Amino acid sequence: MKPAVALLGVGMFAILLQGVLASLIPAALTPDLSFLLVVALGTRLRSTGTGLLLASGLGYLADLFSGSLLGLHALLRVLAFGAARLCSRQLNLRGALPQAVFVGFLTLVNALGVAALTAFFSPEAGFGVPPLGTLLLHAFVNAIFGPLVAGGCEVILAFAGEDDRGRHLLRLEARSYRS
């Protein structure tokens, strides 16, 4: 319970910080901190249930603060958590470069998801994908900040008592030979 409360507090702070940054610098240069935290949780958190609850809660808070359709970011955050969880089990997403590439790709998919769901539930809005340059710039900014947020998430989890540093990337077991 302690890691979940700590991460929820950090997530709420991240959403507020993102809002402040968005008012000071252009939106394309503002990292999506709650999205990055959800991806980091997908690769670092042991409990899938806790991660899903945190992802949906942070997504719902993002919906409330952004003024978008209620449930839009909550759904996309849950899907991002699931994608990060599944990919981290199959791929080594512990290094900075693999995390950055994964976060950049997932940012592009998330932007398409926002556009598609907005067009589906609000047909008068149309399919509003940002210009490609803006979208790629935002994905690059998220890719830069992704490993930093993942490292911070790992520190918070270690502080809260859910240290995952002992997990090996590849399990090596000794063979036993019987004669």
Side-chain angles (χ1 to χ4, degrees), residues 40-66:
L41 289 176
T43 60
R44 300 288 196 279
L45 196 62
R46 285 186 202 156
S47 172
T48 303
T50 302
L52 286 171
L53 285 174
L54 284 170
S56 63
L58 291 174
Y60 190 72
L61 285 173
D63 286 330
L64 290 176
F65 287 130
S66 71

Side-chain angles (χ1 to χ4, degrees), residues 121-174:
F121 288 111
S122 298
E124 66 276 357
F127 191 74
V129 178
L132 185 62
T134 304
L135 192 58
L136 290 175
L137 180 62
H138 185 66
F140 181 72
V141 169
N142 273 355
I144 290 173
F145 281 93
L148 299 173
V149 172
C153 181
E154 194 166 318
V155 168
I156 292 167
L157 286 172
F159 178 74
E162 191 167 312
D163 192 12
D164 203 17
R165 293 175 195 239
R167 190 175 99 182
H168 299 288
L169 295 176
L170 177 64
R171 293 184 181 169
L172 299 175
E173 297 178 7

Side-chain angles (χ1 to χ4, degrees), residues 6-158:
L7 289 168
L8 184 62
V10 168
M12 290 169 50
F13 176 74
I15 291 172
L16 292 174
L17 179 63
Q18 181 181 337
V20 169
L21 288 175
S23 67
L24 299 174
I25 58 177
L29 297 176
T30 305
D32 193 349
L33 296 174
S34 66
F35 174 75
L36 296 175
L37 181 62
V38 167
V39 173
L41 289 176
T43 60
R44 300 288 196 279
L45 196 62
R46 285 186 202 156
S47 172
T48 303
T50 302
L52 286 171
L53 285 174
L54 284 170
S56 63
L58 291 174
Y60 190 72
L61 285 173
D63 286 330
L64 290 176
F65 287 130
S66 71
S68 64
L69 297 169
L70 287 180
L72 174 73
H73 287 98
L75 173 64
L76 291 173
R77 296 297 192 262
V78 167
L79 293 175
F81 175 82
R85 185 64 146 198
L86 289 173
C87 289
S88 71
R89 290 179 187 231
Q90 301 298 322
L91 304 170
N92 178 8
L93 295 179
R94 291 280 181 177
L97 183 61
Q99 284 176 11
V101 170
F102 181 71
V103 165
F105 175 74
L106 208 55
T107 300
L108 296 174
V109 171
N110 186 61
L112 292 175
V114 167
L117 287 172
T118 302
F120 182 76
F121 288 111
S122 298
E124 66 276 357
F127 191 74
V129 178
L132 185 62
T134 304
L135 192 58
L136 290 175
L137 180 62
H138 185 66
F140 181 72
V141 169
N142 273 355
I144 290 173
F145 281 93
L148 299 173
V149 172
C153 181
E154 194 166 318
V155 168
I156 292 167
L157 286 172

